[in-house]
Amino acid sequence: QVQLVESGGGLVQAGGSLRLSCAASGRSFSNYAMAWFRQAPGKERELVAAITSAGGSTNYADSVKGRFTIPRDYDKNTVYLQMNSLKPEDTAMYYCKAVLLSVYTYWGQGTQVTVSS
């Protein structure tokens, strides 16, 4: 089992940047594919970015391509979401997700990102 703790959210002006962190506790962080999701009020949770367990492949929502990246640090058991050129429509609660063997999934508690215009 793995526990995920997100941090780094906050209030930022449009055009600014934020870096979210998701620290994983437990063993075998390198075995987990990791992803960031977000959910805005009244909307469904959507995938923002994902990275494979080995870090060799990433996937991004069209709405964030070219602006967000999802690096991971195996020494720190942490995955990040680097968000640049933020827009008001990026405002949402951001959640970290860990997936093992496409069967076991774990979620963090979320961190709020608010982008003002």
Side-chain angles (χ1 to χ4, degrees), residues 12-51:
V12 64
Q13 288 188 335
S17 297
L18 280 176
R19 188 179 78 161
L20 306 183
S21 299
C22 173
S25 63
R27 300 181 297 177
S28 304
F29 172 73
S30 60
N31 291 338
Y32 288 83
M34 302 296 296
W36 287 95
F37 284 72
R38 67 186 180 187
Q39 187 167 20
K43 295 188 176 182
E44 293 186 354
R45 191 172 294 190
E46 62 174 355
L47 175 68
V48 176
I51 186 167

Side-chain angles (χ1 to χ4, degrees), residues 26-82:
R27 300 181 297 177
S28 304
F29 172 73
S30 60
N31 291 338
Y32 288 83
M34 302 296 296
W36 287 95
F37 284 72
R38 67 186 180 187
Q39 187 167 20
K43 295 188 176 182
E44 293 186 354
R45 191 172 294 190
E46 62 174 355
L47 175 68
V48 176
I51 186 167
T52 55
S53 56
S57 180
T58 56
N59 182 43
Y60 297 95
D62 288 342
S63 59
V64 307
K65 282 181 180 177
R67 300 189 296 123
F68 292 10
T69 59
I70 182 172
R72 64 189 295 171
D73 186 327
Y74 295 94
D75 291 334
K76 296 182 178 179
N77 281 8
T78 299
V79 65
Y80 303 95
L81 185 66
Q82 179 64 46

